[in-house]
């Protein structure tokens, strides 16, 4: 790991080596402002996003052309292209007609990212809360994220979440990326049919330019961009995803969700085959002790964000009172006034809600760990309607707030 990466990590820690909210808040605002300055008009960013878009659309098109979709039109080639563009740009909020040139699509993505960075509320998440979100995300199936209700589940409509450490992700081709931040915006999704419009959320992932993943080709690109006078932003846009936000699968049965999850995996396996020409051995990352997230089905982003939003909305994490970081930079307004940078909301794990006293004579169960509980359906009694209704709960973290978080696969001990 390079010195720049180590230095940047230390800026969010105090002198004792511990993560602090104030330092993380200052670092988050600094990262956003530095990224904004380097993003607009940067040909290296546009070239990278255009290359990513071209690969994704081409591979989607090749898979769709061999699917049942090809039997639905006289010109399956055109339908497959429109379907591929709808599954990328349409889901990201681009209103048709969609551009055929990857460079034009990338320019549009950069404008949307610039808007996100200008308007987003900045959030930082503590290491403990981040670990809880990672654990909860691991319990989710692909179809679970389509139960998202953005108006109920997402408290901040436009946000930029900066992580305490980059998450190293192994992508479908074997390449590595180190995700440092997630941004999101409410959008309207557009599909092939003109009337097929859905409330959605556009999620943008940002790599850590100076993070733990530093292959030779990346270091060369960073050096060339800097030498050209257009340095890459410290939060480098990596991908853009569209998530439906209308709870379209909330009423489906568990069996149907399992079937849809399996269909998702089968489709992603086909895309993995289509992208084999880009595959490469998974490289070592050097100094890195946090492990990796394997993402063969390209759904880690959706699972992480879904878990993050749900845990906050359900009160498992606490959104602390907004507070300006001490020493935050002031900005001169056009009218000569001086204002502070936008405030930062610190997300921490919430203490469990107090429960009524245990009945006399009953033994109280004592937990020594916290663990993620999978998303599941329950029959909730509504006294005002005098009826039970099926609702979703989870994912959430169970156990005492001060207990260690139990992660990984479950194992049972057979003992005498």
């Amino acid at each position: 790991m390079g010195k720049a990466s180590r230095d940047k990590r230390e800026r969010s820690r105090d002198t004792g080596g511990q993560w602090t909210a104030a330092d993380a808040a200052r670092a988050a605002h600094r990262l956003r402002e530095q990224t904004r300055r380097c993003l607009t008009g940067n040909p290296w960013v546009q070239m990278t996003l255009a290359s990513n878009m071209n690969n994704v659309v081409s591979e989607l098109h090749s898979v769709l052309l061999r699917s049942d979709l090809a039997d639905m039109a006289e010109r399956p080639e055109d339908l497959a292209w429109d379907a591929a563009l709808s599954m990328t740009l349409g889901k990201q909020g681009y209103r048709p007609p969609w551009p055929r040139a990857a460079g034009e699509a990338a320019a549009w993505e950069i404008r949307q990212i610039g808007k996100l960075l200008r308007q987003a509320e900045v959030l930082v998440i503590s290491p403990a809360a981040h670990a809880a979100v990672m654990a909860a995300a691991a319990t989710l199936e692909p179809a679970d994220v389509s139960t998202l209700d953005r108006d109920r589940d997402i408290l901040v409509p436009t946000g930029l979440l900066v992580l305490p450490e980059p998450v190293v992700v192994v992508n479908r081709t074997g390449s590595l990326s180190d995700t440092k931040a997630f941004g999101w915006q409410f959008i309207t999704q557009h599909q092939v049919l003109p009337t097929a419009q859905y409330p959605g959320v556009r999620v943008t992932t940002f790599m850590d330019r100076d993070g733990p993943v530093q292959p030779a080709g990346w270091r060369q690109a960073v050096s060339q961009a800097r030498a050209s006078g257009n340095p890459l932003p410290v939060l480098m846009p990596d991908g853009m995803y569209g998530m439906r936000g209308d709870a379209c699968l909330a009423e489906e049965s568990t069996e149907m969700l399992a079937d849809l999850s399996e269909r998702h995996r089968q489709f992603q396996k086909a895309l993995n085959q289509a992208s084999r020409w880009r595959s490469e051995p998974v490289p070592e990352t050097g100094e890195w002790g946090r492990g990796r997230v394997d993402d063969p089905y390209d759904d880690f982003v959706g699972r992480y964000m879904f878990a993050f939003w749900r845990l906050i909305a359900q009160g498992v994490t606490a959104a602390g009172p907004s507070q300006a970081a001490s020493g935050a930079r002031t900005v001169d307004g056009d009218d000569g006034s001086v204002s502070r940078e936008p405030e930062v909301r610190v997300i921490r794990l919430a203490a469990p809600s107090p429960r009524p006293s245990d009945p006399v004579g009953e033994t109280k169960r004592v937990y020594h760990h916290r663990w993620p509980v999978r998303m599941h359906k329950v029959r909730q009694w509504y006294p005002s309607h005098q009826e039970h209704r099926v609702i979703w709960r989870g994912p959430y973290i169970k156990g005492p707030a001060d207990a260690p978080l139990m992660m990984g696969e479950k194992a049972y001990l057979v003992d005498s």
Side-chain angles (χ1 to χ4, degrees):
M1 183 186 301
K3 181 178 183 299
S5 179
R6 289 197 298 270
D7 289 347
K8 187 150 70 68
R9 288 198 307 162
E10 289 304 319
R11 287 199 293 267
S12 64
R13 300 179 182 275
D14 62 16
T15 55
Q18 299 298 314
W19 182 93
T20 65
D23 286 343
R26 282 193 292 267
H29 276 292
R30 182 165 53 246
L31 289 174
R32 179 172 74 163
E33 291 307 311
Q34 291 173 348
T35 299
R36 284 184 59 188
R37 290 197 299 268
C38 295
L39 182 68
T40 305
N42 192 314
W44 295 87
V45 176
Q46 182 166 344
M47 180 175 59
T48 301
L49 293 179
S51 177
N52 292 344
M53 175 62 66
N54 186 63
N55 289 336
V56 170
V57 173
S58 298
E59 290 159 9
L60 269 172
H61 173 256
S62 67
V63 171
L64 292 172
L65 201 56
R66 297 192 300 268
S67 70
D68 295 340
L69 186 68
D71 301 329
M72 299 172 58
E74 295 181 1
R75 297 176 59 86
E77 178 83 13
D78 292 340
L79 180 59
W81 268 114
D82 284 340
L85 291 171
S86 75
M87 295 171 68
T88 50
L89 294 174
K91 290 183 68 175
Q92 295 172 14
Y94 198 126
R95 184 186 301 274
W98 298 297
R100 302 285 174 164
E104 184 180 347
W108 174 83
E109 287 186 332
I110 290 176
R111 291 195 297 272
Q112 306 313 307
I113 296 169
K115 182 179 179 182
L116 165 70
L117 294 174
R118 289 193 304 272
Q119 298 180 354
E121 181 173 354
V122 176
L123 297 93
V124 294
I125 181 170
S126 70
H130 173 58
V133 174
M134 290 288 287
T139 72
L140 293 170
E141 291 293 318
D144 292 339
V145 299
S146 293
T147 65
L148 175 71
D149 184 335
R150 72 179 192 182
D151 297 323
R152 181 193 65 193
D153 294 329
I154 304 180
L155 303 181
V156 179
T158 306
L160 177 69
L161 172 66
V162 179
L163 306 181
E165 300 280 1
V167 176
V168 177
V169 179
V170 183
N171 302 303
R172 70 164 80 249
T173 61
S175 62
L176 298 182
S177 60
D178 42 9
T179 301
K180 176 63 176 176
F182 298 96
W184 65 91
Q185 302 153 284
F186 281 10
I187 58 168
T188 298
Q189 293 185 323
H190 303 275
Q191 296 303 288
V192 174
L193 296 176
T195 57
Q197 300 179 6
Y198 314 103
V201 186
R202 178 170 56 233
V203 178
T204 303
T205 59
F206 296 88
M207 291 191 300
D208 187 345
R209 184 194 65 190
D210 305 317
V213 179
Q214 293 288 316
W218 175 251
R219 292 196 299 269
Q220 182 180 12
V222 171
S223 177
Q224 290 176 343
R226 183 177 293 113
S228 71
N230 293 286
L232 295 180
V234 286
L235 294 180
M236 178 66 180
D238 183 33
M240 193 174 279
Y241 302 82
M243 300 174 62
R244 283 189 66 165
D246 58 352
C248 60
L249 297 183
E251 301 301 323
E252 297 293 343
S253 66
T254 302
E255 292 76 13
M256 177 60 74
L257 290 176
D259 180 65
L260 291 173
S261 293
E262 181 59 27
R263 292 186 187 184
H264 169 84
R265 283 188 282 264
Q266 292 301 322
F267 184 74
Q268 293 298 322
K269 287 178 180 177
L271 286 175
N272 291 347
Q273 290 293 322
S275 62
R276 287 185 64 181
W277 66 276
R278 294 191 289 125
S279 297
E280 55 191 67
V282 178
E284 295 297 326
T285 56
E287 293 181 44
W288 192 250
R290 303 298 194 276
R292 299 167 175 166
V293 174
D294 290 319
D295 192 24
Y297 304 123
D298 197 31
D299 59 1
F300 167 71
V301 172
R303 290 187 288 110
Y304 184 95
M305 294 310 304
F306 181 88
F308 173 76
W309 291 323
R310 275 283 176 92
L311 289 173
I312 296 175
Q314 295 179 4
V316 177
T317 58
S322 295
Q323 51 184 305
S326 58
R329 181 173 61 87
T330 58
V331 181
D332 293 330
D334 294 335
D335 57 355
S337 61
V338 177
S339 60
R340 256 184 203 283
E341 286 184 324
E343 297 179 342
V344 173
R345 180 173 299 168
V346 179
I347 308 300
R348 294 188 182 278
L349 287 178
S353 302
R355 297 186 176 185
S357 301
D358 296 316
V360 177
E362 288 193 10
T363 302
K364 184 176 181 180
R365 179 174 295 180
V366 178
Y367 296 108
H368 300 285
H369 293 85
R370 289 176 297 139
W371 66 95
V373 176
R374 288 182 178 273
M375 189 179 190
H376 59 282
K377 288 182 177 180
V378 297
R379 284 170 52 82
Q380 176 71 44
W381 174 252
Y382 286 83
S384 59
H385 297 280
Q386 290 296 298
E387 65 179 7
H388 283 92
R389 294 182 180 178
V390 177
I391 63 172
W392 281 98
R393 284 187 180 163
Y396 57 87
I397 305 298
K398 189 171 182 179
D402 57 349
L405 182 65
M406 192 165 52
M407 303 189 55
E409 296 294 332
K410 184 186 297 182
Y412 294 94
L413 171 65
V414 179
D415 200 0
S416 60

